[in-house]
Amino acid sequence: MVAPRLCGKLVRIAGLTPALFALAATALLSACGLSVDAEQARVCRLALPALNPDGGQIRVLRTVPWLEAYSIRVEYRVDREGRPALERYVICRFAAEGLSANKADLVGLSTEAGPVAGSTVYLLKRFYIDSPEGVAGDPGPGERAAGLIEVPRPLAYGLQQMLSGLPRTAIYGLLAAAYALVFGLVGRFNLAFGELAALGAAATAVGVALLLSLGQAAPLLGLLFGAGCAVFAGAIHGAVGGYWTMARIGGRSGQPSLVATVGLSLALMEYLRIAQGTATVWFPPVWSESWPLLRSTDFVVSITPVSLLTTAIGLSAGGAVLRLMRRSGFGRAWRAYADDPRAAALFGVDGRRLLIRTLALSGGLAGLSGALVVLQYGGLGFAGGFGLGLKALVAAVVGGVGSVAGAFLGGLAIGLFETVWSMLMPIDARDIALYSVLIAVLVFRPGGFFGMKELGPRQV
């Protein structure tokens, strides 16, 4: 198992395109110390106090995967007052692994004295593990803070909040870029992107379930396949829904199209409610083991591998879209049509076809953002996309809804704003402050901070 610090050095890759960086980051993170499931390690640690009824301070030394299938070994030390310390270990066997719902179901225990009776394991699970007494007795993952750099408490707290907000920032950036792709081309808002993100989350669940039905429970393979399903579902629904709500509705005013996208949003929400039900499908946590970075006395600044992976995919996808807009034929046609549709048509740009491709690309970004929500937070309900899409719209307007790069930066800025506000101010007033920022931007700079001065496509 590769040490987290070595993995951190390996992730610093130079000279790769954003898409290749995403693939490289995914491959590296899959190899960087992710072989021990954090939830299984927690359940195994909860059994330690029950296996040592004589008392003493339990200190976990090492947690490693074991030779048997679905098994881990926890090595620990029991310090007893007035008596020699004991070096012991326990081997925990589980029912499954990866993305299986029962991966934390303990089915067997062994210690240095031999296997523990099945009846004892049953009673341990039934009356101790995950009970208030058992959870309070968790000895913790061990001496993670040993050798870490000591920093002041305010710096440690602020850095921890920033690291925790990275995935949310990347998700906002993707959705904000999706808004800007459509508005920058035709000057109209598509208000269904939040629901397309929820659709992407549902497609991720379907993709993972398909692989699980085939006996493939590996988290990396399942989530990559699920993310592919999310992008495909978002692109198809975004293109078809956008065709009927935007491409087929002409006229100078964008209000009929805006109302139509509201109807599309409600239709997608109801479609998801009927298809998946009102209960949100939650995935078990994967790659959630904390990697310690810094410390301030007993407070340890840490980050999880899944947060790194979510952030890397989101930022890399955003970078790939920006590169596409700058260096591809599609990007040149998009910029030409956004500047002057009539002049672009004279040079052979098919406006309707370009709009459909743009809707598919923006829908794919929305679907990917939904997959990232599932990867980071475990699930997204059928109505959960509304708030997510609304905040991404705020990010797009603040950044510059007429500019893809500006909107993406606006998403990053809004994620940073939420993180800083949560650190310093009451969190229940965070959304009020966020929408107040939107009002101020619309009054004083309608085109956003990074976009155009006026809220509308450029005119030549």
Side-chain angles (χ1 to χ4, degrees):
M1 189 167 59
V2 184
R5 293 182 181 177
L6 176 59
C7 292
K9 295 179 181 179
L10 291 175
V11 171
R12 298 189 187 99
I13 302 171
L16 292 179
T17 63
L20 290 178
F21 174 76
L23 293 176
T26 303
L28 284 172
L29 286 171
S30 67
C32 291
L34 305 182
S35 54
V36 175
D37 189 280
E39 183 67 11
Q40 291 181 347
R42 185 190 69 86
V43 172
C44 197
R45 292 197 311 267
L46 290 176
L48 299 184
L51 296 175
N52 296 271
D54 295 337
Q57 184 178 1
I58 298 174
R59 182 162 56 93
V60 175
L61 302 176
R62 193 168 64 136
T63 303
V64 295
W66 195 235
L67 303 177
E68 304 175 37
Y70 313 148
S71 300
I72 63 173
R73 171 176 165 138
V74 177
E75 300 174 2
Y76 63 98
R77 177 188 179 100
V78 183
D79 295 320
R80 304 178 297 174
E81 186 176 356
R83 291 180 291 174
L86 297 177
E87 300 281 348
R88 304 191 66 186
Y89 70 85
V90 61
I91 298 173
C92 298
R93 290 181 293 277
F94 296 90
E97 65 179 0
L99 295 172
S100 299
N102 60 337
K103 70 172 184 178
D105 184 12
L106 184 66
V107 297
L109 279 175
S110 297
T111 67
E112 66 281 348
V116 176
S119 58
T120 303
V121 174
Y122 172 78
L123 294 174
L124 187 67
K125 293 193 301 179
R126 179 71 176 82
F127 297 106
Y128 186 74
I129 291 180
D130 280 344
S131 68
E133 180 184 1
V135 172
D138 184 0
E143 295 293 337
R144 302 184 307 136
L148 296 181
I149 299 175
E150 186 86 16
V151 296
R153 177 62 68 106
L155 177 61
Y157 175 72
L159 181 58
Q160 183 63 72
Q161 292 294 326
M162 292 293 182
L163 293 175
S164 300
L166 286 178
R168 181 176 64 248
T169 298
I171 293 169
Y172 286 165
L174 283 184
L175 274 178
Y179 278 108
L181 278 168
V182 176
F183 186 89
L185 183 68
V186 294
R188 299 181 181 182
F189 283 110
N190 184 356
L191 298 181
F193 282 124
E195 281 63 39
L196 288 175
L199 183 71
T204 303
V206 172
V208 172
L210 286 175
L211 284 190
L212 287 176
S213 67
L214 299 176
Q216 297 290 336
L220 181 62
L221 180 61
L223 290 172
L224 284 179
F225 182 72
C229 293
V231 172
F232 178 77
I236 292 297
H237 286 79
V240 174
Y243 174 77
W244 290 103
T245 58
M246 304 189 78
R248 292 294 296 258
I249 299 178
R252 290 181 174 273
S253 174
Q255 292 182 359
S257 180
L258 181 68
V259 174
T261 61
V262 173
L264 175 63
S265 171
L266 296 174
L268 287 175
M269 189 184 302
E270 185 66 10
Y271 164 57
L272 285 174
R273 187 192 67 82
I274 295 174
Q276 71 177 25
T278 57
T280 303
V281 178
W282 294 100
F283 284 88
V286 293
W287 307 324
S288 55
E289 181 181 1
S290 297
W291 286 351
L293 303 176
L294 301 169
R295 65 177 297 180
S296 176
T297 60
D298 58 339
F299 180 79
V300 179
V301 179
S302 61
I303 192 170
T304 60
V306 69
S307 297
L308 286 176
L309 181 59
T310 303
T311 305
I313 293 176
L315 295 182
S316 299
V321 170
L322 297 182
R323 185 181 181 90
L324 176 72
M325 300 302 292
R326 288 183 176 274
R327 301 193 178 185
S328 69
F330 167 79
R332 288 190 292 271
W334 188 94
R335 295 197 305 273
Y337 194 88
D339 280 338
D340 193 329
R342 293 181 180 179
L346 291 176
F347 283 90
V349 176
D350 187 339
R352 177 163 293 190
R353 181 181 178 185
L354 179 63
L355 176 58
I356 297 301
R357 294 173 65 187
T358 302
L359 289 168
L361 176 60
S362 59
L365 288 179
L368 179 59
S369 68
L372 294 184
V373 170
V374 172
L375 175 62
Q376 177 66 31
Y377 302 109
L380 182 64
F382 74 95
F386 177 77
L388 183 64
L390 189 59
K391 288 188 177 181
L393 178 59
V394 174
V397 173
V398 169
V401 74
S403 165
V404 179
F408 184 70
L409 290 175
L412 304 184
I414 289 300
L416 179 63
F417 173 84
E418 285 196 344
T419 300
V420 174
W421 182 276
S422 301
M423 282 193 302
L424 304 176
M425 306 295 289
I427 194 171
D428 53 355
R430 185 181 63 188
D431 289 351
I432 298 176
L434 180 61
Y435 298 133
S436 300
V437 170
L438 172 64
I439 294 173
V441 170
L442 289 176
V443 171
F444 296 105
R445 189 176 174 86
F449 289 108
F450 306 109
M452 301 170 294
K453 293 183 178 179
E454 300 297 332
L455 187 59
R458 296 181 298 275
Q459 300 297 324
V460 178

